[in-house]
Amino acid sequence: MSMTLSGFELMKMIGEQQDRRQFQQLNWRGTFAEYLDIVVRKPQVARNAFQRVYDMIMSYGTEEFIDAKKRLIRYKFFSDESFDGDDAIFGLEIPLMRLVNFFKGAARGYGTEKRVLLLHGPVGSSKSTIVRRLKRGLEHYSRTEEGALYTYDWYPGVIENHDTFDWRQVPESEWEKCPMHEEPLHLIPRELRAPFIERINENLDPDRHIRVEGDLCPVCRFHFRELMQHYDGDWLKVMNHIRVRRLVFSEQDRIGIGTFQPKDEKNQDSTELTGDINYRKIAIYGSDSDPRAFNFDGEFNIANRGIIEFVEMLKLDVAFLYDLLGASQEHRIKSKKFAQTDIDEVIIGHTNEPEYRRLENNEFMEALKDRTVRIDIPYVTRLRDEVRIYERDFNKKKVRVHIAPHTLEMAAMWAVLTRLEEPKKPNLTLLQKLKLYNGKTLPGFTEDNIKELRKEAVREGMEGISPRYIQDKISNALVSNQEEGYINPFMVLNELESGLKNHALITDEEQRKRYRDLLAVVREEYTEIVKNEVQRAISADEEAIKRLCANYIDNIKAYTQREKVRNRYTGQYEEPDERLMRSIEEKIDIPESRKDDFRREIMNYIGALAIEGKTFDYRTNERLHKALELKLFEDQKDSIKLTSLVSRVIDKDTQEKIDVVKARLIRDFGYNEQSATDVLNYVASIFARGDTRR
């Protein structure tokens, strides 16, 4: 019996889940002296934006792996699902290594902190996803103890008695926030900072030294100057007007995370980046050059201490791009009517290839190109990583419709094939190249060959079909086939093909034809995969394989030792059964001329195991296992009468055997009742046509 919860009970449930201790930590407030205590204990609170982003990425850990003899590092931050699982990034290890190296150099002050970071690549290659992940990661990191940072507020009122003044008694409405949520250490005059910073850094690794650069923003500079004059230069008394507080980044609240998206050129206004005059306050303060009459709320202002993202950066008006020059090289911005203002933020933009080509051809943009670090973000070219992208969006938790095995894999295979460059080696197909990239070993190809393949294809991954197109077509297939109750690879491949004629980014008929031809390659590969699965399901009788294996071993033992085999039924000794041995060996293409070598190889392997006190198991020899399965399949195929499925005339005994095979497909390969039935029908139709190529 279900109970209806009251509104009060629901509120209570929410209240109990709230972490009040964390709320208090995130809303910590204290004096400037208390903040200095924190800096002494944890100097990292005073890191600059580049140091903070780098430390954030590294806090999630790394793992090293070897790919084609190349040592790669996988930064777990980009695929960690603890804060934003929907934006996990797969298979871009090399571009992400370049990205992290950029932040590493900037964090150590090697020069890249004076550059604009530009992510460049085809549409849908994860450029904006990477930036979004950095922004959300920084939001999440600022809420942790490890990622804590602080800013300050001003009390511009009169303090009658500094000895008895309690900042906690000042009403919240009387505090004025620093509009650019600056680092509180900026309140230490430049000429007095050096001894303090030296003291903080003396026990720190040189790579982690704190660097307090820049000066107060115009509003804070105004308050500081006025109070210093009021107290006749007594800096300690000025600090009584300061309240330091914990700063939590939030894109929604426009704190530490800025995003600028270009509109049409006629409506672009630089005040969106650097703030604008507040005309209502001019009447109060009497001048439009009084910083209190100015809103320092442009994207550059509010992104101070964090990240500013420029969406489709090169679509910006040229005047905007000039603002980037000072912001990157000098770490300063120029607001209307005010001197240059110091900023501390990561400037990161992204753009597609047509816009970047326009920048390269524009001689007036030399200065921007010189201040830009470009990182190419290509499409994924490793099949298993492309599959993970679609599994993230189309899985049992999110999709109720059954997705038959290999559906996402085949869509991913086609996507990756469109991105690969034709191999220059004449004995290698594009599909084989895809398999090599995916870690499969092929006869005659070494890891050195894979390195060569990648080296010769300089633009691989910069063209081809976007993951978005694939996701849209999988979604279409799910909607169109709801009544079927499931989708299979053919349904998705048909959607992919039908969408090609209206694909906005394909204008070349030759390219369209190439993509269609690649769909045919994928269909053929899928056919081979399901034929193999049905074969394995039919020959999955462990006892039958063991008996066949034992019979084969008895015969090759007698053959290699020039003995006779005892017939288990008649008890008579007979010559080894050459027909049986060859029927198994032919399944894995052992020629007549090599049969003796293969048989001796198996016997030597069994002998070596016996010396170690181990028993031979056919499953440890992949080639022999495959040969036995194929032989058993051939023997059982006729008894099951798979081709009778096509005619729909099935006797009871055959139906029982088919049901067993179907149950194995469901249990071992992930099919459901309907998709298992359909795949059996499909493979049966192939055999009915006599297509038995293996």
Side-chain angles (χ1 to χ4, degrees):
M1 182 178 164
S2 62
M3 290 179 61
T4 305
L5 287 172
S6 68
F8 176 76
E9 286 171 318
L10 287 168
M11 285 175 63
K12 189 177 177 184
M13 183 176 72
I14 295 166
E16 287 169 353
Q17 290 175 339
Q18 187 184 19
D19 187 342
R20 292 189 67 189
R21 186 170 173 274
Q22 188 196 29
F23 178 84
Q24 289 161 1
Q25 287 175 340
L26 296 180
N27 287 273
W28 179 91
R29 288 167 169 77
T31 64
F32 188 71
E34 288 171 330
Y35 175 63
L36 293 182
D37 286 337
I38 294 172
V39 173
V40 171
R41 288 197 318 272
K42 296 196 310 177
Q44 69 264 31
V45 298
R47 289 170 291 191
N48 66 31
F50 290 94
Q51 290 173 319
R52 188 171 294 106
V53 171
Y54 177 67
D55 287 348
M56 170 194 73
I57 292 170
M58 298 307 294
S59 70
Y60 286 82
T62 61
E63 59 182 355
E64 289 189 11
F65 66 101
I66 304 296
D67 182 44
K69 291 188 175 180
K70 192 169 185 177
R71 187 180 69 88
L72 299 179
I73 300 172
R74 182 175 289 120
Y75 293 96
K76 295 180 182 178
F77 164 78
F78 294 101
S79 57
D80 190 278
E81 298 188 1
S82 63
F83 68 93
D84 202 350
D86 288 341
D87 268 348
I89 296 164
F90 308 111
L92 293 175
E93 285 85 11
I94 292 174
L96 292 176
M97 282 171 64
R98 293 185 186 126
L99 179 76
V100 176
N101 284 341
F102 169 88
F103 284 116
K104 185 177 183 178
R108 294 179 178 179
Y110 293 164
T112 50
E113 74 278 9
K114 296 179 180 179
R115 303 290 178 264
V116 175
L117 177 60
L118 179 64
L119 304 184
H120 159 262
V123 293
S125 65
S126 299
K127 301 181 298 294
S128 54
T129 304
I130 290 168
V131 183
R132 187 163 61 247
R133 192 159 188 84
L134 287 169
K135 293 193 299 185
R136 290 183 182 171
L138 206 52
E139 285 181 343
H140 180 74
Y141 189 59
S142 72
R143 300 177 70 86
T144 66
E145 202 54 40
E146 189 183 354
L149 71 159
Y150 297 81
T151 186
Y152 59 90
D153 306 328
W154 288 95
Y155 172 55
V158 177
I159 297 177
E160 299 290 347
N161 188 331
H162 283 266
D163 294 330
T164 60
F165 175 71
D166 183 358
W167 61 271
R168 293 177 183 82
Q169 302 302 316
V170 177
E172 191 63 34
S173 59
E174 294 188 29
W175 289 101
E176 287 188 21
K177 293 180 179 179
C178 167
M180 295 180 63
H181 28 261
E182 291 177 78
E183 164 58 52
L185 295 183
H186 277 186
L187 292 162
I188 303 173
R190 274 180 183 267
E191 63 274 15
L192 303 177
R193 284 180 199 166
F196 172 80
I197 300 302
E198 194 176 318
R199 180 79 181 273
I200 294 297
N201 285 335
E202 63 184 3
N203 296 319
L204 292 179
D205 186 284
D207 288 337
R208 304 194 66 79
H209 276 183
I210 299 304
R211 304 189 297 274
V212 181
E213 296 163 345
D215 214 335
L216 297 171
C217 71
V219 173
C220 296
R221 190 176 177 80
F222 174 85
H223 288 307
F224 186 84
R225 189 175 62 248
E226 291 289 306
L227 289 167
M228 284 289 279
Q229 287 178 348
H230 179 75
Y231 292 118
D232 199 22
D234 190 336
W235 179 80
L236 289 173
K237 285 184 177 178
V238 173
M239 289 304 99
N240 283 337
H241 288 259
I242 293 297
R243 176 183 72 176
V244 178
R245 59 184 169 83
R246 178 84 178 261
L247 181 66
V248 176
F249 287 149
S250 168
E251 184 172 18
Q252 283 189 313
D253 296 327
R254 302 187 78 226
I255 299 172
I257 310 286
T259 304
F260 186 79
Q261 191 160 357
K263 303 174 184 68
D264 65 277
E265 291 186 10
K266 291 179 182 177
N267 291 327
Q268 288 186 28
D269 185 352
S270 63
T271 59
E272 292 181 53
L273 286 176
T274 54
D276 200 6
I277 296 166
N278 187 329
Y279 291 97
R280 287 193 305 152
K281 288 187 177 179
I282 293 174
I284 301 171
Y285 299 115
S287 169
D288 62 359
S289 60
D290 188 310
R292 293 169 297 175
F294 194 89
N295 291 333
F296 291 92
D297 61 354
E299 294 301 319
F300 271 133
N301 305 106
I302 63 99
N304 194 37
R305 314 280 305 279
I307 289 178
I308 180 169
E309 173 191 11
F310 282 86
V311 180
E312 298 293 352
M313 191 176 92
L314 298 183
K315 287 181 180 174
L316 285 167
D317 183 68
V318 174
F320 279 73
L321 294 175
Y322 287 129
D323 281 326
L324 285 172
L325 301 183
S328 59
Q329 184 71 30
E330 309 297 334
H331 287 192
R332 289 182 169 187
I333 55 171
K334 178 71 174 72
S335 297
K336 196 187 297 181
K337 297 271 186 179
F338 295 97
Q340 289 192 323
T341 304
D342 292 296
I343 56 169
D344 167 31
E345 57 198 72
V346 176
I347 302 171
I348 183 167
H350 45 92
T351 189
N352 295 328
E353 197 145 14
E355 281 76 32
Y356 190 78
R357 277 198 226 105
R358 195 172 64 183
L359 169 69
E360 284 190 313
N361 297 327
N362 187 343
E363 61 185 34
F364 298 106
M365 299 309 293
E366 289 295 326
L368 179 66
K369 280 191 279 185
D370 192 47
R371 288 172 172 81
T372 299
V373 172
R374 185 189 99 181
I375 296 178
D376 287 341
I377 307 295
Y379 290 133
V380 168
T381 55
R382 198 186 293 125
L383 178 62
R384 62 177 175 270
D385 293 321
E386 187 74 7
V387 172
R388 289 178 73 187
I389 293 171
Y390 307 131
E391 285 177 340
R392 182 187 63 198
D393 296 322
F394 304 102
N395 54 60
K396 288 180 181 178
K397 287 183 181 177
K398 293 185 176 181
V399 179
R400 292 182 183 178
V401 176
H402 174 70
I403 299 174
H406 310 297
T407 302
L408 302 182
E409 182 191 350
M410 293 303 106
M413 182 178 287
W414 180 68
V416 172
L417 284 172
T418 67
R419 302 164 188 170
L420 298 182
E421 293 183 21
E422 287 289 343
K424 292 175 183 175
K425 294 184 183 294
N427 58 336
L428 185 70
T429 67
L430 200 64
L431 183 62
Q432 286 174 320
K433 185 181 183 181
L434 175 143
K435 290 178 179 179
L436 284 171
Y437 279 11
N438 202 39
K440 187 178 175 66
T441 54
L442 294 178
F445 287 93
T446 64
E447 289 186 326
D448 287 327
N449 295 134
I450 299 170
K451 281 178 74 175
E452 286 171 30
L453 287 169
R454 288 200 169 122
K455 204 170 183 179
E456 71 185 21
V458 289
R459 281 190 51 80
E460 204 154 62
M462 297 301 283
E463 294 172 354
I465 290 292
S466 155
R468 287 184 196 143
Y469 178 79
I470 306 291
Q471 288 162 329
D472 290 346
K473 298 309 168 188
I474 294 172
S475 180
N476 285 356
L478 285 165
V479 171
S480 304
N481 296 282
Q482 276 185 330
E483 290 182 13
E484 299 289 334
Y486 84 104
I487 61 168
N488 64 31
F490 285 121
M491 295 171 182
V492 173
L493 293 174
N494 290 341
E495 283 285 347
L496 293 171
E497 185 166 15
S498 65
L500 284 177
K501 59 178 176 286
N502 298 318
H503 196 299
L505 299 178
I506 303 175
T507 53
D508 184 351
E509 201 54 47
E510 193 175 323
Q511 188 184 41
R512 210 185 310 272
K513 182 183 180 303
R514 177 176 177 265
Y515 289 171
R516 286 201 180 101
D517 291 344
L518 290 175
L519 280 166
V521 171
V522 173
R523 287 189 178 99
E524 191 175 332
E525 178 66 11
Y526 173 64
T527 298
E528 291 302 309
I529 289 169
V530 290
K531 276 165 61 178
N532 182 257
E533 279 185 349
V534 170
Q535 287 171 350
R536 287 164 62 195
I538 288 173
S539 59
D541 187 336
E542 288 288 323
E543 291 305 315
I545 292 182
K546 283 179 184 175
R547 287 194 299 272
L548 182 62
C549 182
N551 199 2
Y552 176 71
I553 298 298
D554 286 347
N555 277 276
I556 66 167
K557 181 184 176 186
Y559 177 85
T560 55
Q561 296 179 1
R562 290 185 166 80
E563 296 173 351
K564 291 191 175 184
V565 182
R566 183 175 179 274
N567 189 310
R568 295 178 186 179
Y569 302 106
T570 65
Q572 299 295 312
Y573 284 89
E574 302 169 352
E575 291 295 325
D577 189 342
E578 183 66 22
R579 277 185 64 187
L580 170 74
M581 291 186 288
R582 289 304 293 146
S583 68
I584 291 170
E585 291 156 2
E586 284 169 355
K587 297 292 178 289
I588 48 172
D589 301 322
I590 304 293
E592 181 77 22
S593 60
R594 283 269 302 127
K595 69 179 183 183
D596 288 7
D597 293 338
F598 181 74
R599 292 169 189 177
R600 276 194 295 271
E601 185 186 312
I602 296 290
M603 291 312 299
N604 290 340
Y605 179 57
I606 293 170
L609 287 173
I611 291 169
E612 295 175 13
K614 296 176 182 175
T615 308
F616 173 72
D617 185 339
Y618 68 88
R619 281 169 293 201
T620 59
N621 189 308
E622 190 179 338
R623 292 181 78 201
L624 181 59
H625 188 183
K626 184 180 178 184
L628 293 167
E629 279 189 339
L630 289 170
K631 168 63 177 166
L632 194 63
F633 166 71
E634 193 171 82
D635 293 345
Q636 294 189 355
K637 181 181 68 175
D638 294 331
S639 69
I640 288 179
K641 298 174 188 169
L642 194 60
T643 53
S644 64
L645 274 169
V646 182
S647 67
R648 307 293 182 189
V649 180
I650 306 172
D651 59 70
K652 185 182 176 186
D653 182 50
T654 302
Q655 184 63 56
E656 286 175 358
K657 290 177 181 177
I658 287 171
D659 288 343
V660 169
V661 173
K662 197 185 295 182
R664 287 173 186 162
L665 284 170
I666 293 168
R667 182 194 67 200
D668 300 336
F669 298 100
Y671 291 88
N672 69 357
E673 177 73 28
Q674 204 169 357
S675 60
T677 301
D678 284 357
V679 86
L680 270 174
N681 282 327
Y682 175 61
V683 173
S685 70
I686 293 170
F687 286 115
R689 291 197 306 266
D691 181 9
T692 55
R693 182 170 62 83
R694 282 184 280 280

